[in-house]
């Protein structure tokens, strides 16, 4: 029962599977068949049975359908067999008709084909004409482009390229020749850029070579214009009484008129020859290259290249030659190249739009100015010739005026000129030091002899000396030597030379006056003072020459006020002005005079030492000669003659020299007595030495130099006198008793000095008086000497302990 139920349940399932197989695509049958095997056992067998039953049903249905349509099929075949004969006849007729039509249409076909071919040709011709009419302007423009390239009309060629690209090429862009042209245009543009850049490089090289000529022309024009202005100004100053050079008014006035005349004549002659930068340089390559790059849209590249190359050229121009400082031509070539460079840049600035800007030129000028100042500062330091420094200054002024005319700031150059001015003054001081040395070497250090009034006028025209007493009779002698008017003239020449540098510096008269006075002060206080001091120290300068030098300095000192007047007349600045610098001639010549005085004292003492060295005392003599020593008498006679020469000196100088000589002589004589190498002195030698001191005192009392009061000069020998009196009188008891008292007779005798001299006399007594012990007086004297020596030693030791 269960199997039957199971079989009944499986039949509908198999029918459903068969329906799916019949209605489903064969690609999807697999899952359906798989379900047959997934069901209950023996499902496959049952399914196959069901499938066979289904097939038998379909076969029955097919057989029924075939039986139903078989008669119709037979009828159709019968009808086709009847129509076959008619179809064959129709075929023959159609074939024959087709042949007749083909034969009849051959000529028509030929004529039709000819017509078609002609119409195609006509259409092609029309198309070709239209296309040619469209292409001919393109070809003509391209041909024009080639001609412009050949003629080097590159800017026009670029404009033609723009027209081709914007107007003509779009019309014929489909043609191959157009593509070739389009591809060729970038190459042509690059060729134009390279050619124009090559022209620019040639231009840059050309202006680099000709920059010195450009600068020279610009500087000449600036100098010519300035000379003309200065000449007019000077003529105006002369007319209004403003000429400044003392004793040269008429000469300078005539010079100014002649200068102005020459300037006007030169201006008339050169009026038609004035050249501009455009006359010297062809700027067309720059304009052309700028336009070309502007059209190409690469203007920035061109500007950067131009500026970069010009900066390189600027660095080359600013690099000086190593030997530039040796000649003025080296400086001139340096300046002209720089001026030429910036004149070109200024022209480019004003005639082009944006190629160079004011900010660019200012930056370039500031860089150049710093380099120029450094170069000039370095090279000018090697210049030792004041004329070369002055020419350098003039070149810098022209250089600055030229560039200032083109709008470049030049204040730093004028500041540099003040540094160079100091160097110029240094070179002048060195030069004038040599001049002063030559003057001093050639001077005879004797008063100037005047034999006639004409000679006197010549001298006073050179040197401001006035003495009413000397103007009355001739011949005569002026107190100063020949070097004084020469020194005065050279100081004025120095002022003129210093003034030359101050010209054209755009400074006020007050500043010029201050510069002249300061430089003159340097000349007086440093150069002239140094030359005087060196002169005074020279060994060949004797006492007579030193006396004349002192006299000369006094007159030069008096002439300083005339030098101040001389500077005042040059600058028109009154000496009463609060800021006016005074000349330091008073201190300069006072120092030189003091040095000469000191040298007089030194040389006089040296001369005294030479005489003293000739002394030849017999320190063991028993009796004096009865007269003063010969060397001392020669020394006194020398001093008398020298002090007569000193009458021309100021009184205090002569008195000081005389007192110094006497004191030095006294000191030398004292040192002679106390010399450590002198071991013994006899009483006879002391008496002889006393005779010499007496001659010294007589010389002092004879007033060799007037002006001493009372016995002032004799006091120079007071130490010697008291010492010798002590030994001559042998008044030791008084000396020892009164020692240290203000009223002591032997106040100036030092115990050490007395002890030293007494010991030398004691030794002499022992050696020379071998038998003195057998004479009572001699024994008493020897005991007295020993007693005094002991007392003096006790006194000296007490002084040492007290000290």
């Amino acid at each position: 029962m269960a199997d039957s139920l199971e079989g009944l349940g499986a039949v509908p399932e198999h029918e459903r599977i068969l329906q799916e197989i019949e209605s489903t695509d064969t690609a999807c049958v697999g899952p359906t068949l798989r379900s047959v095997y997934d069901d209950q056992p023996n499902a496959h067998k049952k399914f196959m049975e069901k499938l066979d039953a289904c097939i038998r049903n379909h076969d029955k249905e097919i057989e029924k359908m075939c039986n139903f349509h078989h008669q119709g099929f037979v009828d159709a075949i019968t009808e086709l067999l009847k129509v076959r004969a008619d179809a064959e006849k129709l075929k023959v007729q159609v074939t024959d008709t087709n042949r007749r039509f083909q034969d009849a249409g051959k000529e028509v076909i030929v004529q039709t084909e000819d017509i078609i071919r002609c119409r195609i040709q006509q259409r092609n011709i029309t198309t070709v004409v239209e296309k040619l009419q469209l292409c001919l302007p393109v070809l003509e423009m391209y041909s024009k482009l080639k001609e412009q390239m050949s003629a080097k009309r590159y800017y026009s060629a670029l404009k033609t390229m723009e027209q081709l690209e914007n107007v003509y090429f779009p019309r014929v862009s489909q043609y191959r020749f157009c593509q070739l042209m389009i591809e060729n245009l970038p190459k042509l543009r690059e060729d134009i850029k390279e050619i124009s850049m090559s022209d620019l490089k040639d231009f840059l090289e050309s202006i680099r070579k000709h920059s010195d000529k450009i600068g020279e022309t610009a500087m000449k024009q600036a100098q010519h214009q300035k000379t003309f202005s200065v000449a007019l100004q000077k003529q105006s100053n002369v007319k209004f009484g403003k000429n400044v050079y003392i004793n040269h008014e008429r000469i300078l006035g005539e010079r100014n008129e002649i200068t102005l005349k020459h300037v006007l004549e030169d201006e008339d002659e050169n009026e038609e020859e004035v050249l501009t930068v455009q006359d010297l340089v062809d700027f067309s390559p720059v304009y052309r290259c700028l336009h070309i790059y502007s059209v190409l849209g690469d203007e920035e590249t061109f500007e950067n290249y131009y500026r970069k190359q010009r900066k390189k050229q600027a660095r080359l121009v600013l690099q000086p030659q190593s030997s530039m400082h040796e000649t003025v031509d080296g400086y001139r070539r340096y300046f002209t190249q720089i001026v030429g460079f910036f004149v070109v840049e200024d022209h480019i600035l004003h005639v082009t739009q944006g190629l160079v800007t004011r900010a660019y030129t200012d930056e370039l000028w500031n860089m150049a100015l710093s380099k120029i100042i450094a170069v000039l500062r370095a090279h000018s330091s090697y210049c030792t010739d004041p004329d070369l420094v002055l020419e350098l200054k003039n070149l810098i002024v022209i250089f600055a005026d030229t560039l200032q005319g083109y709008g470049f700031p030049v204040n730093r150059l004028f500041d540099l000129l003040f540094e160079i001015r100091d160097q110029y003054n240094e070179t002048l001081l060195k030069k004038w030091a040599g001049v002063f040395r030559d003057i001093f070497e050639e001077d005879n250090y004797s008063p100037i002899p005047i034999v006639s009034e004409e000679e006197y006028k010549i001298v006073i025209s050179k040197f401001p000396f006035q003495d009413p007493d000397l103007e009355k009779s001739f011949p005569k002698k002026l107190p100063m030597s020949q070097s004084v008017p020469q020194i005065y003239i050279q100081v004025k020449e120095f002022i003129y030379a210093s003034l030359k540098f101050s010209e054209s510096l755009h400074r006020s008269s007050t500043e010029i006056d201050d510069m002249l006075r300061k430089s003159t002060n340097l000349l007086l206080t440093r150069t002239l003072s140094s030359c005087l001091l060196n002169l005074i120290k020279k060994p060949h300068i004797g006492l007579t020459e030193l006396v004349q030098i002192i006299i000369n300095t006094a007159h030069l000192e008096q002439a300083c006020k005339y030098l101040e007047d001389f500077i005042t007349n040059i600058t028109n600045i009154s000496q009463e002005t609060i800021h006016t610098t005074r000349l330091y001639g008073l201190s300069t010549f006072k120092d030189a005079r003091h040095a000469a005085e000191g040298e007089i004292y030194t040389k006089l003492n040296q001369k005294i030492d030479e005489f003293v060295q000739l002394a030849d005392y017999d320190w063991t003599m028993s009796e004096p000669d009865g007269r003063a020593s010969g060397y001392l008498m020669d020394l006194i006679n020398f001093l008398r003659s020298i002090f007569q020469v000193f009458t021309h000196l100021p009184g205090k100088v002569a008195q000081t020299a005389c007192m110094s000589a006497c004191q030095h002589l006294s000191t030398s004589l004292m040192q002679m007595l106390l010399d450590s190498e002198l071991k013994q002195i006899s009483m006879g030698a002391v008496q002889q030495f006393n005779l010499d001191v007496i001659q010294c005192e007589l010389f002092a009392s004879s007033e060799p130099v007037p002006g001493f009061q009372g016995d002032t000069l004799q006091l120079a020998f007071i130490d010697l006198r008291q010492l010798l009196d002590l030994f001559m009188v042998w008044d030791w008891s008084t000396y020892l008793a009164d020692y240290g008292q203000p009223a002591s007779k032997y106040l100036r005798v030092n115990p050490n000095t007395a002890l030293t001299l007494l010991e030398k006399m004691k030794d002499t007594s022992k050696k020379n008086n071998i038998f003195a012990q057998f004479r009572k007086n001699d024994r008493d004297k020897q005991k007295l000497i020993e007693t005094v020596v002991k007392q003096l030693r006790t006194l000296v030791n007490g002084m040492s302990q007290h000290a």
Side-chain angles (χ1 to χ4, degrees):
M1 188 64 181
D3 293 337
S4 64
L5 290 174
E6 183 178 356
L8 291 176
V11 172
E13 179 65 23
H14 292 158
E15 290 178 356
R16 183 185 62 79
I17 292 171
L18 289 175
Q19 289 176 359
E20 287 182 5
I21 292 172
E22 290 176 355
S23 61
T24 305
D25 190 5
T26 56
C28 299
V29 173
T32 305
L33 294 177
R34 191 178 299 112
S35 63
V36 175
Y37 297 95
D38 293 338
D39 291 335
Q40 297 84 4
N42 299 322
H44 176 264
K45 181 179 178 182
K46 294 176 180 178
F47 174 75
M48 291 304 294
E49 292 174 357
K50 187 64 177 176
L51 180 61
D52 290 338
C54 184
I55 292 171
R56 285 192 300 271
N57 290 333
H58 283 298
D59 287 340
K60 290 177 180 181
E61 290 177 2
I62 291 171
E63 184 179 355
K64 287 178 181 180
M65 186 175 291
C66 289
N67 291 332
F68 177 76
H69 292 287
H70 178 267
Q71 186 60 40
F73 176 71
V74 172
D75 293 339
I77 293 300
T78 303
E79 289 178 1
L80 286 175
L81 291 175
K82 292 177 180 180
V83 174
R84 183 173 61 181
D86 295 334
E88 290 178 357
K89 291 178 182 180
L90 180 60
K91 179 181 179 182
V92 172
Q93 292 175 358
V94 170
T95 303
D96 183 58
T97 302
N98 180 56
R99 180 181 55 77
R100 288 197 304 270
F101 271 113
Q102 291 291 334
D103 294 338
K106 284 183 180 180
E107 292 182 3
V108 176
I109 291 173
V110 172
Q111 292 177 0
T112 302
E113 289 177 352
D114 291 341
I115 292 172
I116 292 171
R117 186 168 55 252
C118 288
R119 288 181 178 177
I120 290 173
Q121 290 177 351
Q122 186 179 8
R123 186 175 65 249
N124 290 340
I125 290 171
T126 301
T127 303
V128 169
V129 170
E130 292 177 355
K131 298 302 181 182
L132 286 176
Q133 289 176 347
L134 190 63
C135 294
L136 278 176
V138 178
L139 297 174
E140 289 174 355
M141 289 296 291
Y142 196 80
S143 176
K144 180 181 178 181
L145 173 62
K146 288 294 187 181
E147 292 174 358
Q148 290 170 341
M149 292 290 293
S150 300
K152 298 182 179 181
R153 296 166 55 198
Y154 301 117
Y155 182 72
S156 301
L158 289 174
K159 289 296 184 182
T160 302
M161 290 183 193
E162 285 187 358
Q163 292 181 347
L164 284 171
E165 288 180 328
N166 298 328
V167 179
Y168 294 96
F169 282 165
R171 302 174 184 174
V172 293
S173 59
Q174 68 274 23
Y175 300 112
R176 185 169 177 270
F177 78 90
C178 179
Q179 296 299 323
L180 294 175
M181 291 180 180
I182 292 173
E183 293 173 359
N184 196 34
L185 289 187
K187 182 178 181 301
L188 292 177
R189 284 194 173 92
E190 289 299 322
D191 291 343
I192 292 174
K193 288 178 67 174
E194 292 177 0
I195 294 171
S196 60
M197 186 59 70
S198 177
D199 292 343
L200 177 65
K201 291 178 180 178
D202 294 339
F203 167 79
L204 293 175
E205 181 66 21
S206 175
I207 61 173
R208 188 185 68 83
K209 292 180 179 179
H210 296 90
S211 60
D212 54 346
K213 180 64 176 177
I214 300 169
E216 182 180 0
T217 302
M219 292 177 69
K220 282 182 178 179
Q221 293 174 0
Q223 185 178 14
H224 181 76
Q225 182 178 2
K226 181 177 180 180
T227 303
F228 180 72
S229 301
V230 171
L232 284 177
Q233 181 66 31
K234 286 185 177 180
Q235 187 186 43
S236 175
N237 290 343
V238 170
K239 287 181 180 180
F240 286 95
K242 293 182 179 179
N243 192 13
V244 295
Y245 293 94
I246 189 168
N247 295 329
H248 291 74
E249 291 86 353
R250 180 176 55 80
I251 297 175
L252 288 177
E254 293 176 357
R255 264 187 206 162
N256 291 334
E257 292 180 359
I258 294 172
T259 301
L260 179 60
K261 182 179 179 181
H262 286 321
V263 170
L264 292 173
E265 290 176 355
D266 293 340
E267 185 181 20
D268 292 337
E269 292 177 0
N270 299 330
E271 186 174 2
E272 297 180 356
E273 299 179 2
V274 176
L275 298 176
T276 62
V277 66
Q278 295 92 331
D279 299 325
L280 298 173
V281 180
D282 179 18
F283 287 93
S284 59
V286 181
Y287 308 148
R288 187 164 53 247
C289 196
L290 176 61
H291 291 319
I292 288 172
Y293 273 78
S294 299
V295 171
L296 294 174
D298 204 8
E299 186 176 1
E300 184 177 355
T301 300
F302 173 73
E303 291 175 0
N304 293 335
Y305 177 81
Y306 176 84
R307 294 180 183 181
K308 181 179 179 181
Q309 294 301 314
R310 289 297 281 167
K311 283 184 178 180
K312 288 182 179 179
Q313 290 186 347
R315 293 188 182 95
L316 292 176
V317 167
L318 295 171
Q319 189 66 30
Q321 296 181 351
S322 58
S323 60
M324 184 179 73
H325 61 276
E326 296 178 356
T327 61
V328 70
D329 290 336
Y331 287 108
R332 182 178 291 109
R333 190 178 305 109
Y334 182 69
F335 286 130
T336 54
Q337 289 179 349
I338 296 173
V339 171
F341 178 89
F342 282 99
V343 166
V344 170
E345 289 304 288
D346 181 76
H347 179 77
I348 294 294
L349 173 66
H350 288 90
V351 300
T352 60
Q353 296 295 328
L355 180 55
V356 295
T357 61
R358 175 57 67 182
Y360 162 78
T361 55
D362 289 344
E363 178 187 357
L364 196 61
W365 169 244
N366 289 330
M367 180 272 292
L369 189 58
S370 299
K371 178 67 175 178
I372 292 168
I373 291 174
V375 168
L376 293 178
R377 186 178 286 127
H379 281 262
S380 62
S381 63
Y382 297 109
C383 295
T384 58
D385 183 7
D387 295 333
L388 179 58
V389 178
L390 184 61
E391 290 181 351
L392 172 60
K393 168 257 175 182
N394 293 331
L395 281 176
I396 293 176
V397 171
I398 297 172
F399 173 76
D401 290 341
T402 303
L403 289 174
Q404 191 175 31
Y406 285 91
F408 294 99
V410 294
N411 292 334
R412 292 174 62 189
L413 286 175
F414 285 102
D415 294 338
L416 173 66
L417 283 174
F418 278 88
E419 297 179 21
I420 298 179
R421 181 202 64 190
D422 296 336
Q423 181 184 349
Y424 175 72
N425 286 336
E426 289 296 326
T427 58
L428 285 180
L429 293 174
K430 291 180 181 178
K431 179 180 179 181
W432 256 258
V435 172
F436 291 150
R437 284 194 296 268
D438 294 340
I439 292 174
F440 291 141
E441 289 292 334
E442 296 171 1
D443 194 10
N444 57 7
Y445 298 99
S446 300
I448 301 174
I450 302 295
V451 298
S452 64
E453 186 176 0
E454 288 74 15
E455 290 186 4
Y456 179 75
K457 290 181 178 179
I458 291 174
V459 173
I460 64 175
S461 67
K462 298 178 182 177
F463 182 76
F465 175 79
Q466 294 179 353
D467 190 346
D469 296 336
L470 293 175
E471 296 177 3
K472 296 178 181 179
S473 61
F474 297 96
K476 66 182 73 173
K477 288 186 178 181
L478 300 181
M480 80 286 291
S481 66
Q482 190 64 45
S483 63
V484 173
Q486 293 177 355
I487 291 293
Y488 183 79
I489 292 172
Q490 287 302 320
V491 172
K492 292 173 66 175
E493 290 297 325
F494 176 86
I495 294 173
Y496 277 128
S498 182
L499 178 64
K500 288 180 181 178
F501 196 92
S502 302
E503 295 174 349
S504 305
L505 291 185
H506 311 299
R507 297 293 172 177
S508 65
S509 298
T510 303
E511 291 176 306
I512 294 176
D513 180 85
D514 186 64
M515 287 189 290
L516 289 180
R517 292 178 184 273
K518 286 182 178 179
S519 59
T520 306
N521 277 331
L522 284 176
L523 179 72
L524 296 177
T525 59
R526 198 170 78 184
T527 304
L528 182 56
S529 176
S530 176
C531 290
L532 282 171
L533 294 176
N534 291 334
L535 174 68
I536 291 168
K537 297 295 183 181
K538 287 187 176 180
H540 69 275
I541 298 296
L543 292 170
T544 305
E545 288 81 0
L546 289 172
V547 171
Q548 187 61 56
I549 289 173
I550 292 176
I551 296 171
N552 290 349
T553 56
H555 287 282
L556 287 172
E557 181 181 334
Q558 295 172 2
C560 282
K561 64 179 182 178
Y562 297 98
L563 290 175
E564 289 191 342
D565 294 339
F566 177 72
I567 296 175
T568 299
N569 290 329
I570 289 178
T571 60
N572 287 327
I573 300 299
S574 174
Q575 298 182 34
E576 284 72 24
T577 305
I578 188 172
H579 299 294
T580 302
T581 304
R582 299 296 179 183
L583 294 185
Y584 302 145
L586 181 63
S587 60
T588 298
F589 297 116
K590 184 178 292 185
D591 294 341
R593 190 158 54 249
H594 289 166
E597 292 171 2
E599 194 66 19
I600 285 178
Y601 307 150
T602 301
K603 287 186 178 294
L604 192 57
N605 293 341
Q606 290 174 353
K607 199 67 178 178
I608 291 173
D609 291 340
E610 292 176 5
F611 278 99
V612 171
Q613 288 175 3
L614 297 176
D616 188 18
Y617 287 102
D618 181 6
W619 297 107
T620 61
M621 65 172 56
S622 58
E623 296 293 334
D625 292 340
R627 62 180 182 275
S629 301
Y631 84 92
L632 188 67
M633 298 307 297
D634 293 339
L635 172 58
I636 290 174
N637 292 331
F638 167 76
L639 291 177
R640 291 185 188 278
S641 63
I642 284 298
F643 290 145
Q644 287 179 357
V645 177
F646 285 6
T647 55
H648 298 292
L649 291 174
K652 186 177 291 187
V653 177
Q655 293 171 11
T656 304
C658 185
M659 177 59 76
S660 173
C662 290
Q663 289 176 345
H664 184 72
L665 177 57
S666 176
T667 302
S668 299
L669 292 175
M670 182 67 77
Q671 290 176 351
M672 190 184 301
L673 281 177
L674 303 178
D675 188 1
S676 59
E677 295 182 0
L678 179 61
K679 303 300 182 182
Q680 54 184 357
I681 301 176
S682 66
M683 182 56 71
V686 172
Q687 292 172 351
Q688 180 64 41
F689 199 82
N690 183 56
L691 291 176
D692 293 344
V693 174
I694 291 173
Q695 289 298 321
C696 293
E697 291 173 332
L698 290 174
F699 168 74
S701 63
S702 66
E703 197 175 4
V705 172
F708 286 105
Q709 296 180 356
D711 298 336
T712 303
L713 190 58
Q714 295 179 25
L715 293 177
F717 300 97
I718 189 64
D719 291 353
L720 272 175
R721 171 47 50 211
Q722 291 186 6
L723 179 64
L724 291 175
D725 285 348
L726 177 61
F727 278 86
M728 293 295 294
V729 179
W730 208 254
D731 193 8
W732 290 104
S733 59
T734 303
Y735 173 74
L736 293 172
D738 296 343
Y739 179 77
Q741 300 297 323
S744 174
K745 181 180 178 180
Y746 305 103
L747 182 64
R748 305 297 296 270
V749 178
N750 187 290
N752 279 316
T753 304
L755 177 61
T756 301
L757 186 58
L758 190 59
E759 286 179 340
K760 292 181 179 182
M761 292 184 67
K762 182 183 69 171
D763 294 340
T764 303
S765 298
K766 289 181 178 180
K767 292 179 180 179
N768 293 340
N769 300 316
I770 301 175
F771 301 101
Q773 56 182 339
F774 300 107
R775 295 193 292 272
K776 186 177 183 301
N777 292 336
D778 293 336
R779 288 199 308 271
D780 294 342
K781 185 176 181 180
Q782 187 67 27
K783 289 180 180 180
L784 178 60
I785 291 175
E786 291 176 355
T787 301
V788 172
V789 167
K790 290 180 181 179
Q791 291 176 344
L792 287 174
R793 284 177 178 169
T794 302
L795 181 62
V796 169
N797 292 334
M799 291 172 58
S800 300
Q801 292 176 359
H802 181 72

